[in-house]
């Protein structure tokens, strides 16, 4: 990681996922900060697009589950798309992690 990078504390990084409303915005920002800390050229390598796609799938999954829980609890017609979004978010997060790992300086080839 870049020594000049300013990353939040471990407590804030974990806690941001659990604070209502904050958990809709801050975790994405934290992942972008980690990407920038791993490589100054993160912005030019389309790292932000991948993070945005991951976060959109993650939030869409949560919204679909909340809406479906109220409109049609237990409906497979809603559960399948929601879980498809969750799988997409998981795959995209794996790609984000891979991109950050590749950007780390001194990483063995």
């Amino acid at each position: 990681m870049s020594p000049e990078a300013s990353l939040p504390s471990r407590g804030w990084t974990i806690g941001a996922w659990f604070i209502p409303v904050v958990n809709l915005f801050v975790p994405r920002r934290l992942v972008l900060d980690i990407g920038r800390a791993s490589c100054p050229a993160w912005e030019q390598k389309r790292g932000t697009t991948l993070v945005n796609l991951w976060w959109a799938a993650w939030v869409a999954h949560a919204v679909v589950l909340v809406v479906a829980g109220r409109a049609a609890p237990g409906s497979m017609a809603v559960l399948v798309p929601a879980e498809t979004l969750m799988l997409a978010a998981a795959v995209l997060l794996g790609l984000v992690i891979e991109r950050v790992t590749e950007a780390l300086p001194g990483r063995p080839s």
Side-chain angles (χ1 to χ4, degrees), residues 21-107:
V21 182
V22 170
N23 65 359
L24 295 174
F25 305 100
V26 174
R28 176 191 162 272
R29 176 94 258 144
L30 295 172
V31 172
L32 287 171
D33 289 346
I34 291 167
R36 287 185 192 103
S38 68
C39 176
W42 174 263
E43 303 287 343
Q44 290 116 11
K45 291 185 178 183
R46 297 190 182 137
T48 57
T49 302
L50 196 55
V51 171
N52 290 336
L53 288 171
W54 157 68
W55 195 246
W58 176 265
V59 171
H61 164 261
V63 168
V64 169
L65 280 182
V66 168
V67 170
R70 295 185 187 271
S75 169
M76 285 300 267
V78 179
L79 184 61
V80 170
E83 293 311 308
T84 301
L85 285 166
M86 175 56 101
L87 287 172
V91 169
L92 288 165
L93 182 57
L95 294 172
V96 168
I97 292 168
E98 183 178 322
R99 177 94 27 106
V100 168
T101 303
E102 287 174 353
L104 289 173
R107 180 183 161 267

